[in-house]
Every structure is written in structure tokens, then in C-alpha cells.
Amino acid sequence: MPLPLFADPTDTARPLHIVDQDHFETWRTAQPDEIGTWIDAQAFTGALGQAIPVPGTDGAPAGAVVGLGTAQTRARARFHLAAAAAKLPKGAYAIASGLPDDMAEVEALGWLLAGYRFDRYKTQPPMAARLVAPDTIDANAVAAIATGEALTRDLINTPASDMGPDDLEQAAHDLAARHDAQVRVILGDDLLAENFPMIHTVGRAANRAPRLIDMRWGDTGPRVTLVGKGVCFDTGGLNLKPGASMALMKKDMGGAAAVLGLTDMILSHGLAVQLRVLIPAVENAVSGNAFRPGDILTSRKGLTVEINNTDAEGRLVLADALALAQEENPDLIVSMATLTGAARVAVGPDLAPYYCDDNSFADRLEQAARQQADPVWRMPFHAPYEAMIEPGIADLDNAPKGGFAGSITAALFLRRFVEQTSYAHFDIYGWQPNDAPGRPKGGVGQATRTLLKSITEMSTA
């Protein structure tokens, strides 16, 4: 998890000037002649991602200038400084001008995230340029967010050969040890003894035992329970996925990875919350004892579920975990899962769609998402679709036929296991399909910074 921290403020740092392309001509006119000539020779215009060193009298870089782009280009991107950070020569840089105070926290975070490298299997060259944290931000808080995001990315990027249910459990233990949290794990057939039948059923065909990871931290403040889908690999079960659809299934534990990254952020911030984290960790594998289409399962809550597709397994393991979460009637339950392809069809890979009936919490999420450059999109718990998840032969259908409203019907299914509690469900993608500033191709956290901000506000209300 190599992630560069902020430069030591006592280090000798070069000044970094940031130029808004919309005001480039005004800025250019104000420069000394020798600097202006150098700027012109480099064809610098302040475009987003442009970065040029400014030489000193000895020819060595004495500072740098980077472009912030236009308001229009910034509206189509995020982490604008990150686009230029990787192009700067080695050294420490301190922002000297041009960055509005209300952008400083997000842009500093983006700089740190641009330095993320996944190097478990191949050496990756580190980013050369380091940033001195702006005086206007809480550097420790921003670094904690970057560290939590790096944890999420590492967990998702690690292939299932090294990230099975046992490895995911170890990641939870490691996180708990760093923050003095407690972890209890219910393993294998003990899931049946303690009434988690659907978690056991989904994971029983794999050679690595299914389990429920239960972490707790804190004894004051609102009670918040996070539930993350930990399907460490999803073959589709007996409804076997085609090869192209199976290629990225190492990321099917992206909900668990996001929850663990968010947990790291919450605990590093020391929020006044009573936090519980539940992760059903399984592999959806194929063997002689795999569950079958047409089976009817009885959930922890007592609701029966007809299996019409074994590839709709995530909602099954989440349902048992949500039922457990509800039994304590916390102030907030949040589930995060790479649950449906329908969500990607609806909003693409960049947005994190979520469902929430608590308008007050949803308003808090929307405001936080804008502040944190962590976009979310509210989707409806559309009651008229409830009939689509009621097959007649059982209380619920895990995969309604027809293909309509697949993300909504999955969310409605999960809501049946949560009552009387503020509940938000995030149907995330957990993957960056192409390189972008601060977000290299690969595993990525979604909605975690938004949730951190929202839960922080809960803890201080």
C-alpha cells in the first residue's frame, strides 16, 4: 500500500503556482519578463493537467506552474492538481498561489491518491513530486482518508488466490489491531448453529469456509452499522458466468473493501460513534454441494427465498447480515455492495447509486458528495415494484425474471430485512475502468468519503 504522505513542512520546498485557464492572460501579463518568456516557450496556457518546472538562475528547477483548466473542464473532472502532479520533477512543492481555499482539501487529497501504487506483484516507480500540506487543511485528516482509500484499493486489486474469505478476515483483524477494535468471526458450520443459513448456503461449495466477520469499536455516540458484501470470487455458481463476465470477479468483495476502508477513516478520525461492521465473506463456487436454481432457502429473519439464479448471491448473504444488524436497532444501517450490473447500465462506473428512505440523511449525503468530490446518485425504493420480488411459492425471489429495474428490485429485496431503522444501500462498482487523475485503473472506493462526512456530522449533532 505505498502511498506518499505529505512532505515534511521543514523540507526545502519549491513554490507551486496554479493557474486558472479562464484567467490565464491576466496572470501572464503580471509575470516578470524572464518568466513570461519561459512560459511562452513551453506553450503553457493553464490547461488542465499542464505542468512545467520554472528554472532558477542555475538552471535547476526553482518552482513549477500547473494548469487548473477552465471552469468547464473542471466540471468534467475531479482531482485537478493530480492531473499535473505526476508530471513534476522530484522534490517537495508548496502551493504559493492560485488555489482557492475551498478547493484545497480535495486537491490535496487528490495529490496523495495520485501517488497510490499497487505493487504486491510488480515493482511500481513511486511518484516523484511531494506536496507540503496547505495551511488551510487538516493534514492528518486528509492523510487518514487517503490511507483508508488505499486499503480499499489494495483489497480489491488483490486476486482471489490471495484474497479469499480467510484473507479478508485477516484484513479485518489487522485493521482492528491498529485501532483497538474487537472482532468476532462465525466460521463454517457454526453459521448454521447461529442461524445464518443463507451465508452458509452461498459459501458452502468453496474449499475456503464461509464466515461472518463482526467488528465493533466505540462506546459513545450514535450507533452505526456498516454491512459490506464480501464475495471474494463469484463464478455465478451453477448459473455459471461466461468468461468475460468472470474476469473482474475478484472485485465482487468491493463492498467489504469499501466498508473496511471507510472504517479505517472513521477510526483514524476518532469519531464519537458506536460502530459495528458486518462482512459476510464467502466464495460463490461450483461443486457437488452448491445451491441450485429452484431451491428455497429460509433466511435468518424467517423469510423464505426462492433461488431463480445462483448468480444473484450477494443479496442473500447481505440479507442475513442485515437481519442481524437490525436486531440491535441502531441509528443507521448502511450496506455497500457490488450488487448489480443494472446499476452500471443506469449510471455507469463513476457514480455510486444509493437508496434511502430517510430524506434527512439523503440530504446530508448529497451535500457531502459535492464537498468531497465523491459523487452519488439517489435511486428510488419504488414500492410498485415490490410485487416483482414476490414469486408466490416463497416470500421472496432472489432474481426476478424479465430484467427490468434490476438494481431497484435488489434494493427492495434488501429492505425487507431492515425495519424501523434509517437505512441506506449503495450499489457500487468498485472499479476504475481507465486511468484518471488520482484514480488509476483498478479497484477504487466509492461513496466512502461521502459517508465519512455524513457520519461525522451525525456524531457531532
Side-chain angles (χ1 to χ4, degrees):
M1 190 172 62
L3 187 74
L5 301 178
F6 288 115
D8 190 316
T10 63
D11 288 351
T12 300
R14 299 166 183 158
L16 183 69
H17 298 277
I18 299 167
V19 181
D20 187 325
Q21 191 174 6
D22 287 324
H23 304 104
F24 172 75
E25 293 300 333
T26 300
W27 175 85
R28 167 63 183 83
T29 301
Q31 303 309 304
D33 288 345
E34 63 275 15
I35 298 298
T37 300
W38 173 256
I39 293 293
D40 294 343
Q42 302 300 311
F44 181 83
T45 64
L48 187 64
Q50 279 191 313
I52 57 170
V54 176
T57 55
D58 61 355
V65 181
V66 301
L68 197 59
T70 65
Q72 182 179 32
T73 57
R74 290 195 297 276
R76 300 178 65 174
R78 50 181 148 149
F79 299 140
H80 310 104
L81 285 189
K87 303 174 183 177
L88 292 172
K90 184 177 181 179
Y93 295 84
I95 295 172
S97 66
L99 184 65
D101 285 348
D102 62 353
M103 295 176 65
E105 182 175 309
V106 167
E107 295 306 323
L109 173 64
W111 187 301
L112 294 187
L113 294 180
Y116 171 81
R117 302 289 187 271
F118 183 65
D119 64 354
R120 180 166 178 171
Y121 303 98
K122 180 181 178 182
T123 300
Q124 306 286 348
M127 191 169 76
R130 294 176 295 119
L131 179 69
V132 174
D135 293 336
T136 56
I137 71 169
D138 183 336
N140 290 333
V142 172
I145 292 172
T147 299
E149 169 65 16
L151 173 60
T152 293
R153 294 180 182 185
D154 278 354
L155 292 173
I156 296 174
N157 286 330
T158 302
S161 55
D162 292 319
M163 188 51 61
D166 48 344
D167 303 291
L168 192 56
E169 176 191 335
Q170 186 60 53
H173 283 296
D174 293 344
L175 177 60
R178 290 200 300 274
H179 296 287
D180 197 26
Q182 289 74 50
V183 178
R184 177 175 182 253
V185 177
I186 305 171
L187 179 66
D189 289 344
D190 288 344
L191 290 165
L192 295 176
E194 298 201 34
N195 193 24
F196 298 98
M198 294 205 296
I199 298 174
H200 183 273
T201 296
V202 171
R204 72 190 183 200
N207 62 1
R208 291 183 282 191
R211 66 205 68 201
L212 177 64
I213 303 164
D214 187 349
M215 183 189 301
R216 292 181 185 269
W217 180 88
D219 54 12
T220 60
R223 293 178 299 153
V224 176
T225 299
L226 307 177
V227 182
K229 175 187 170 185
V231 178
C232 294
F233 195 81
D234 181 18
T235 65
L238 294 178
N239 290 113
L240 196 67
K241 292 177 181 289
S245 299
M246 211 184 296
L248 273 183
M249 281 302 99
K250 70 176 184 178
K251 79 170 187 68
D252 211 24
M253 39 65 69
V259 160
L260 289 174
L262 173 57
T263 298
D264 196 18
M265 297 176 197
I266 291 172
L267 274 53
S268 294
H269 280 69
L271 299 187
V273 295
Q274 300 176 68
L275 183 67
R276 189 180 193 185
V277 178
L278 297 171
I279 295 174
V282 302
E283 280 187 84
N284 187 20
V286 178
S287 72
N289 67 339
F291 72 120
R292 299 163 292 264
D295 285 355
I296 294 180
L297 310 181
T298 300
S299 68
R300 177 179 181 84
K301 188 177 178 181
L303 294 173
T304 55
V305 181
E306 182 181 18
I307 305 303
N308 277 313
N309 193 323
T310 61
D311 196 18
E313 83 299 329
R315 67 201 69 183
L316 303 177
V317 299
L318 287 172
D320 272 356
L322 286 169
L324 174 64
Q326 180 60 80
E327 289 165 15
E328 289 192 342
N329 195 26
D331 298 295
L332 173 68
I333 297 174
V334 176
S335 58
M336 305 190 79
T338 52
L339 203 62
T340 70
R344 307 288 72 75
V345 173
V347 300
D350 201 37
L351 287 167
Y354 75 97
Y355 298 81
C356 184
D357 278 338
D358 183 338
N359 290 328
S360 176
F361 188 68
D363 289 345
R364 187 175 285 163
L365 287 170
E366 297 290 338
Q367 183 177 12
R370 290 189 292 271
Q371 294 171 346
Q372 301 300 313
D374 190 20
V376 300
W377 194 265
R378 192 177 185 184
M379 299 279 278
F381 279 126
H382 189 54
Y385 291 165
E386 291 278 5
M388 296 170 64
I389 60 172
E390 296 169 345
I393 192 173
D395 294 315
L396 294 171
D397 183 339
N398 85 317
K401 293 181 174 61
F404 288 127
S407 181
I408 296 174
T409 55
L412 290 171
F413 181 99
L414 294 179
R415 191 174 65 166
R416 294 289 186 97
F417 297 87
V418 181
E419 301 173 283
Q420 304 172 347
T421 295
S422 177
Y423 174 51
H425 164 61
F426 288 80
D427 191 346
I428 65 173
Y429 189 46
W431 191 261
Q432 178 67 27
N434 300 293
D435 286 333
R439 293 173 294 145
K441 181 179 179 180
V444 68
Q446 292 184 289
T448 50
R449 299 191 305 279
T450 292
L451 282 164
L452 175 67
K453 178 71 172 177
S454 303
I455 293 170
T456 299
E457 292 173 358
M458 281 182 64
S459 72
T460 57

